[in-house]
Amino acid sequence: MNIVPMRDLKDTVKIEKLCAESKEPVFVTKNGYGRLVVMDIEYYDKVMRQIDEANLINKGLEDYKAGKTKDGKESLNSIRGKYGI
């Protein structure tokens, strides 16, 4: 885990390099308490994709539990019949 004091943010090149090399967020503290998180855009994109995927999986599980799903073979047969495939 990378933790730096707020005053180190003045050295943006150092912070950027730390984010890129560690492939983790950098936690910025002020007076010993967490205040900010800085991260490389690639790391941010990766985390956001994982969150989106987890949300989609959870939504699918909720739909399944609520009975809002259809049998796969029946659905394919219905589509094939509708479009003459």
Side-chain angles (χ1 to χ4, degrees):
M1 180 184 306
N2 297 303
I3 301 172
V4 298
M6 185 77 72
R7 68 178 172 273
D8 285 4
L9 286 181
K10 293 177 184 175
D11 189 352
T12 57
V13 173
K14 174 186 169 188
I15 299 298
E16 180 185 8
K17 185 176 180 182
L18 184 58
C19 287
E21 288 177 354
S22 69
K23 305 220 185 292
E24 294 181 339
V26 174
F27 297 89
V28 182
T29 61
K30 182 176 181 180
N31 298 325
Y33 295 97
R35 295 297 298 150
L36 303 169
V37 176
V38 180
M39 62 185 80
D40 184 79
I41 194 73
E42 290 177 11
Y43 180 84
Y44 174 81
D45 286 340
K46 175 184 160 190
V47 170
M48 295 310 294
R49 271 194 310 274
Q50 289 173 338
I51 290 170
D52 288 342
E53 290 169 1
N55 285 334
L56 289 171
I57 290 170
N58 285 332
K59 173 77 170 92
L61 290 172
E62 288 172 11
D63 286 347
Y64 176 76
K65 289 177 183 175
K68 296 180 182 177
T69 59
K70 295 181 181 180
D71 180 73
K73 287 182 181 182
E74 289 176 16
S75 295
L76 285 175
N77 288 335
S78 173
I79 292 169
R80 287 182 178 130
K82 181 177 180 178
Y83 294 103
I85 299 174

